[in-house]
Amino acid sequence: MRVDVVSIFPEYFAPLDLSLIGKARANGTLRLAVHDLRTWTHDVHRTVDDTPYGGGPGMVMRPEPWGEALDALAPDELSPDGHTLPRLLVPSPAGVPFTQAMAHELAAESHLLFACGRYEGIDQRVLDHAAQRMRVTEVSLGDYVLFGGEVAVLVILEAVTRLLPGVLGNAGSLDEESHAHGLLEAPMYTKPATWRGLEVPEVLRSGDHGRIARWRRDEALTRTADRRPDMIAALPQEGLDKRDVAT
Ligand SMILES: O=C(OCc1ccccc1)c1cn[nH]c1
């Protein structure tokens, strides 16, 4: 997968050289390039922002540099490697919620292009113009406001990269994890069996895999009902047999 990131703080992405994402880059699973938006400014001050039409606090990112950046990174003509147009992702408090389902969707793309907004955001025409030729998604990580999109891109990239083939050691851990089956994950334990007077639930040491699976499912349902009733409501009802419904 090819990923391009455009930001006025490219150094934010240095951590991506570490850990799993670093390995994914090393083995070519992920080809990541980070670009400084100011590359596409031409004034001596390399200006990327200006005051908002209609008034209001803060500044807005100017369209010109973004337009040139997107032209350069998502050229219309097919490049030698026959690349398709990228999917443009713009983190924003006004975006559609980022979910594990979207992470899976993005992991299937061949080229992602992230635009990191700062200040009050990017001139809307940048997104409207880009949408004339590529798929554009404003995406929100949650109902809060950050200084800019960089941190959100790090989160999205981590969620997507770990889904790419060969990045996670045992792919098994993918289908067990929270949000993989519409429920939160059951509590996890490891050695020692007793720690500071606290025991590991006996069932997990019973070796009875049917009992263990049932216990984990019950725990997942209870946890989800307690912490995320919204997820219980979203469960496919036919998937829940009578025993499952948490009382
Ligand atoms: O703050 C966020 O993105 C950065 C951003 C982009 C545009 C204007 C202000 C801030 C964000 C919050 N939830 N998900 C993303």
Side-chain angles (χ1 to χ4, degrees), residues 15-212:
L16 292 183
D17 295 328
L18 312 173
S19 81
L20 272 178
I21 291 194
K23 280 206 192 79
R25 291 178 75 183
N27 72 24
T29 306
L30 177 72
R31 287 179 294 121
L32 174 72
V34 183
H35 311 270
D36 185 342
L37 177 67
R38 295 186 200 274
T39 307
W40 292 281
T41 60
H42 309 294
D43 61 306
V44 68
H45 297 296
R46 316 193 78 192
T47 314
V48 291
D49 62 323
D50 205 332
T51 53
Y53 274 117
M59 301 291 271
V60 176
M61 298 191 100
R62 297 170 50 230
E64 298 96 329
W66 278 109
E68 289 185 31
L70 299 184
D71 290 347
L73 298 170
D76 275 333
E77 72 283 352
L78 276 189
S79 52
D81 65 4
H83 93 277
T84 56
L85 278 169
R87 179 151 177 197
L88 177 60
L89 293 157
V90 186
S92 155
V96 298
F98 181 64
T99 61
Q100 190 67 9
M102 188 187 286
H104 279 282
E105 208 184 288
L106 298 181
E109 297 281 350
S110 54
H111 184 189
L112 298 180
L113 175 49
F114 289 94
C116 297
R118 279 265 150 179
Y119 312 107
E120 301 308 309
I122 302 172
D123 185 300
Q124 184 60 38
R125 290 168 294 180
V126 174
L127 280 60
D128 295 347
H129 184 268
Q132 290 173 8
R133 61 197 191 92
M134 67 188 101
R135 188 154 175 214
V136 179
T137 309
E138 278 188 84
V139 56
S140 166
L141 295 192
D143 295 334
Y144 42 77
V145 184
L146 304 169
F147 280 122
E150 287 78 9
V151 168
V153 170
L154 285 171
V155 169
I156 295 166
L157 269 183
E158 185 160 319
V160 172
T161 304
R162 63 190 294 280
L163 298 177
L164 297 179
V167 173
L168 264 194
N170 53 335
S173 60
L174 272 184
D175 50 37
E176 284 308 302
E177 64 188 5
S178 288
H179 300 278
H181 39 59
L183 293 174
L184 301 182
E185 195 173 280
M188 305 297 276
Y189 301 86
T190 185
K191 294 185 282 298
T194 302
W195 175 72
R196 296 189 180 181
L198 299 171
E199 303 276 332
V200 170
E202 176 275 329
V203 61
L204 296 180
R205 302 175 58 224
S206 68
D208 177 340
H209 297 290
R211 222 182 121 214
I212 290 168

